[in-house]
Amino acid sequence: MKFEKFAARFALVVACSLMTATPAFAQFWQCVTYARQASGIELRGNAYTWWAQAEGRYERGHTPKQGAVLAFAASGKMRLGHVAMVSQIVSDREVLLTHANWSRPGRVEANVRAIDVSPNNDWTQVKVWYGPIGDLGTSVYPTKGFIYADRAPADSNDGFDAPVTIAQQDAKAANLIALAATQRF
């Protein structure tokens, strides 16, 4: 009987130590957590709430800018919405996005293609590259627009801190994109 108890305890210790030895790249990312860390935009909650939360706190618009977050609206396929950071602008109707939890649950995808298919060229409808088919998906997703990493101008702000903040955000985004490049997709 003592051996059985010892074996059970030993198995429990081994199992616990294996759980703590999980490599860092095996982290499960949600889109909001990744977008917040990659962009420096300090919003919380489900992705579909980001557009409204950003009002008065961050500039918003319908023109893509590098480092901005594209806020997807809630829809039938995405009840909680989605957020993705613009990593590169290809043209006025095409960008590259870096985001998490899209094609593969919990994974980061860097520099995937997204195109504006909205009738008014205002980025309110997009198609996004989908990993399992290796191309743009067939679905069209509604979006609210872009949330820019620069904070909304305050009446008393003289703007002297802006270059430091932008440089810090650029460095943070570059580090996260480099981390994403090491992810196994």
Side-chain angles (χ1 to χ4, degrees):
M1 287 288 221
K2 287 185 178 185
F3 178 75
E4 292 172 354
K5 286 183 182 180
F6 173 78
R9 287 183 183 161
F10 180 78
L12 179 62
V13 168
V14 169
C16 288
S17 66
L18 288 175
M19 287 189 292
T20 61
T22 304
F25 61 81
Q27 181 172 358
F28 186 94
W29 286 97
Q30 293 291 342
C31 68
V32 293
T33 307
Y34 184 80
R36 183 173 44 253
Q37 289 185 10
S39 69
I41 294 175
E42 288 296 325
L43 297 175
R44 305 257 182 233
N46 292 326
Y48 74 89
T49 69
W50 277 39
W51 184 254
Q53 286 186 62
E55 186 174 12
R57 294 175 65 187
Y58 294 93
E59 293 289 336
R60 303 181 306 172
H62 295 281
T63 303
K65 293 182 183 178
Q66 189 170 348
V69 169
L70 179 58
F72 290 69
S75 65
K77 292 183 179 184
M78 297 185 310
R79 293 177 293 128
L80 301 178
H82 185 70
V83 286
M85 188 187 75
V86 177
S87 49
Q88 184 179 341
I89 298 172
V90 177
S91 71
D92 61 340
R93 303 234 22 212
E94 183 177 348
V95 297
L96 299 182
L97 298 176
T98 297
H99 59 165
N101 208 21
W102 183 262
S103 297
R104 294 171 179 90
R107 299 290 189 151
V108 172
E109 294 175 295
N111 300 319
V112 298
R113 185 174 181 221
I115 60 169
D116 173 23
V117 294
S118 61
N120 296 327
N121 302 334
D122 61 3
W123 287 90
T124 55
Q125 295 177 327
V126 298
K127 283 187 158 191
V128 179
W129 183 86
Y130 187 62
I133 64 171
D135 201 358
L136 289 174
T138 57
S139 298
V140 173
Y141 296 96
T143 67
K144 298 289 189 172
F146 296 94
I147 303 169
Y148 306 114
D150 301 335
R151 296 205 180 271
D155 293 336
S156 62
N157 185 359
D158 58 12
F160 288 119
D161 293 336
V164 174
T165 303
I166 292 167
Q168 289 169 341
Q169 290 173 352
D170 286 347
K172 190 179 208 182
N175 288 337
L176 285 168
I177 290 170
L179 173 66
T182 64
Q183 298 284 325
R184 294 184 183 160
F185 295 112

